[in-house]
Amino acid sequence: MKAGPVEIGTLLQNRNRYCVPIYQRHYVWEKNKQWGPFWQDIRTKAVERLAGRERRFSHFMGAVVLESRAKPSVRQVPSFQVVDGQQRLTTFLLFLTAARHYAQSIGHETSAANIQRYVLNSDPHLMEAPEIEIFKVWPTQADRTLFLDIVKSENRELLREKYNNYWYRTRGRDQVQEYNFVPKILGAYGYFYDRIRHSVQTNDLHADVTEIDENSVEDEFPKELKLDAIWQSMLEEFKVVEIILDEGDDAQVIFETLNDRGEPLLAADLVRNNIFQRADARNERAEELFAKHWKPFEDPFWFQLEKQGRYKKQRVEFFLANFIAGKIAGEVGISKLFSEYKAFLRPPKGSMTPRYATVAEEIQDLEVYGRIYKELIERSSNSPIGEFSKRLNLWDVTTANPLILRLWARTDLSQADKIHALNFLLSLIVRRSVCELTTKNYNNLFLSGISKLDRDGWSLSSLQSYFLEQTAESSRFPTDDQFITSLVNRPIYRTLGPTKTRALLLELERKKHGKFQETAGIRDDLTVEHIMPASWYSNWPMMDGVIPTDEDRRLAAMTFLEDDTLAGRMVKRNRVLNSIGNLTLVTQSFNSKVSNESFPKKLPEFKNQSVLMLTKDFVEKTNWDEESIESRGKSLAALALTVWPRPAV
């Protein structure tokens, strides 16, 4: 390994190509974190130059790690693979291109030509493939077209013409749109052009701008001099540590070490780089594998932030954690995801055989599980896994994902058995939630299930047997009697909350529609409504006609006993009005103004909800009291047994 500081100008003036491997991440630098501080450092150096101050120190921009590639022909420009530093190199060239375009706009052609020597390699007539070899930086495929269009553009006008959709349309306003809403590469170019133009056209570069009107037209420095101070400062007073690897150096280890400090790469970036570094080392056609099997993971879907538990991370990281957990049937620390992945690749305990015979096999496995996970999270398809995911999502249980991934990826199970298994898992989750049983052990419960199935064989009966044999409160599958009792007697609305109560009622509504009625028309905007309202005191007398006084309400609030006293009967009413028998779904057309009115006054509104089967089972009633609620609750509970069944052991 050869390492040493080098000025950016020296690095870029050499007739070399710096090729970013296809599997490295996109250009991700942004205004607040990187462009802004970088520009302020350049501006400071330009001010020093113009003021004639002594140049005290250089700015270091970190490391650029390069791996030399074989030179098959004397006519080819020497090329290096960029192990680390692609973000810096890309930024340098975008800055220089912005400076060149501005030089052209003010007629400073000498500087424009000089800057171009640091952006593109000279003498294309001496190259084998000049259309490629003229570019000093050859970025990843995702960024390549836009980047090359920017750096090779003859002038800013032609670039704007090609990417006009990203420019402001206001007449006379030559500016790229808000940097956050355009591709980052174009955003960086636009930001630097705007900063350069502002500094050259105002007094921004005076040593003490506080004593000068920044917008004054009087300026002791010509525009050309200020522009040269800017781009020359970057080339001559900014350095990187250039590290050129020898043949025996492990590029991946060095890459990981450099990214283990400061603001690290995403674990997913490290995983991807590790995979394709190994593919390169084994001559497994890394670029072909990337294009064929990894390309789906470059979709924006995977980079969206999500929150699970106390962690907020990109989806791809949650996927990798679930993938590993499902494979090893063990917990995975998402904060150490890259280390977890490397540990996962080692031969399983008690085996000398690697987990994957080839890198290609490893990537193909990730691709298969990635497709399943995407469908599970998107919840947009009408496939069995998509429909199941929509139902599961309402219960907020993501700890089952490793088991679901392993189950759905099985090729030795029929689709019918897989669907039965998913419905079985949902029954377990719903029943335990209704019975107010804890979810704290779910991670261990589902991972232990994977381990058991790996030992005994994957089948529907094996999966069902494992869960039905659990007896602990933290893992047992509630019986039919326990499920019915909870549905009829527990204050479901209070214990589950409105979201899960709505999920429960939606499933029952669909079941009531049956096979021969339209279920696709069940609306997404349905809300939960109490038939007897929580504020029942004024308009809903007790069964004997008594209307409780304020003193009666005070006494009822001080007791928990459900006895024959007025207070005891009030306690019971307050409990059952939150049970499933007193709950229904309504559309937005329901007049909320009548929610607390008496039953006869609410009935017309409920009858207007005739599209909903849940309202049809009580709208013919003339009275609604505790007995009516318990009777309807038992009927809905019996229906719930068919929606979330418990098979025999």
Side-chain angles (χ1 to χ4, degrees), residues 402-573:
L403 173 57
I404 294 166
L405 289 175
R406 284 292 305 276
L407 175 71
W408 203 254
R410 301 295 303 185
T411 56
D412 53 353
L413 286 174
S414 69
Q415 177 146 309
D417 277 356
K418 291 178 185 180
I419 293 171
H420 281 307
L422 293 180
N423 290 333
F424 172 83
L425 292 173
L426 192 60
S427 291
L428 167 69
I429 291 166
V430 173
R431 285 188 176 220
R432 286 186 57 83
S433 188
V434 168
C435 294
E436 296 184 62
L437 296 173
T438 182
T439 61
K440 289 183 179 178
N441 188 50
Y442 275 7
N443 196 41
N444 180 59
L445 174 66
F446 294 124
L447 293 176
S448 296
I450 295 172
S451 184
K452 182 78 160 51
L453 290 165
D454 280 339
R455 290 195 303 271
D456 298 349
W458 284 76
S459 69
L460 175 60
S461 59
S462 294
L463 180 140
Q464 290 177 336
S465 295
Y466 165 74
F467 286 103
L468 292 172
E469 289 166 1
Q470 302 298 315
T471 57
E473 282 295 289
S474 60
S475 56
R476 67 180 176 85
F477 198 126
T479 64
D480 288 353
D481 287 344
Q482 292 164 343
F483 189 38
I484 288 174
T485 300
S486 293
L487 282 169
V488 174
N489 297 312
R490 288 182 186 270
I492 294 295
Y493 188 79
R494 237 182 14 237
T495 57
L496 290 185
T499 301
K500 290 180 181 176
T501 301
R502 178 179 174 276
L504 194 77
L505 293 172
L506 273 173
E507 293 274 15
L508 295 174
E509 175 70 22
R510 291 191 181 97
K511 187 68 175 179
K512 273 181 166 285
H513 276 246
K515 292 182 180 179
F516 304 106
Q517 290 174 291
E518 182 62 49
T519 59
I522 297 177
R523 296 165 55 160
D524 293 330
D525 61 352
L526 300 179
T527 57
V528 179
E529 175 72 13
H530 290 70
I531 303 169
M532 177 189 290
S535 302
W536 55 268
Y537 300 102
S538 300
N539 299 317
W540 294 70
M542 301 301 293
M543 293 171 68
D544 56 6
V546 172
I547 297 178
T549 64
D550 289 344
E551 179 61 19
D552 294 329
R553 293 167 63 177
R554 188 183 68 80
L555 291 173
M558 296 172 62
T559 183
F560 297 99
L561 293 176
E562 294 183 11
D563 53 24
D564 292 333
T565 65
L566 177 58
R569 286 183 286 130
M570 291 171 65
V571 169
K572 179 179 180 179
R573 172 170 284 195

Side-chain angles (χ1 to χ4, degrees), residues 114-125:
N114 285 333
I115 293 169
Q116 188 74 331
R117 293 189 299 109
Y118 295 94
V119 176
L120 299 176
N121 286 316
S122 58
D123 302 323
H125 61 284

